[in-house]
Amino acid sequence: MSAAILHLCSTCRADPLPLEDLAEALAAAGIAAEVRLQPCLNVCAAPVALSLQGPGRATCLFSGVDPVADRDDIVATLRAWHDAPAGWIADARPCGRLRHCLVGRVPAP
């Protein structure tokens, strides 16, 4: 997997999200080294927001994500995004519930 940045809202909440659980899931999936977790997205009006970014890849933005309950879907979405040409996921069924949380995609420049 090429380098990916996973932005995940957590700092605007009164009870910050436990990102360690997601980090452990990424490690268990064997992709932790390729994913850099960033704790803020500045989308406080639509928590919890998550985005995927990477060089030469589409940026995907999701909202209404539950980082604990959706942990496995986040990992599956990272895999689907990585495997899709230029990060443009054509069939989002492997993403589970996250396919219904997609707010937008921005093509790679």
Side-chain angles (χ1 to χ4, degrees):
M1 175 179 282
S2 59
I5 301 171
L6 190 151
H7 292 272
L8 183 65
C9 287
S10 66
T11 57
C12 60
R13 295 168 44 112
D15 57 334
L17 295 170
L19 297 182
E20 302 82 25
D21 191 42
L22 181 56
E24 288 175 12
L26 295 171
I31 59 175
E34 292 85 16
V35 178
R36 188 173 74 193
L37 282 171
Q38 294 290 342
C40 187
L41 199 68
N42 202 22
V43 186
C44 300
V48 166
L50 174 148
S51 75
L52 301 174
Q53 285 183 305
R57 312 196 60 71
T59 296
C60 297
L61 177 64
F62 303 84
S63 70
V65 176
D66 181 333
V68 175
D70 295 329
R71 182 188 66 196
D72 294 338
D73 289 344
I74 293 169
V75 172
T77 300
L78 270 162
R79 286 195 185 281
W81 176 80
H82 175 264
D83 294 343
W88 204 263
I89 302 170
D91 180 3
R93 288 178 290 179
C95 300
R97 195 183 80 78
L98 261 60
R99 71 185 182 276
H100 302 296
C101 299
L102 182 68
V103 174
R105 295 185 290 188
V106 179

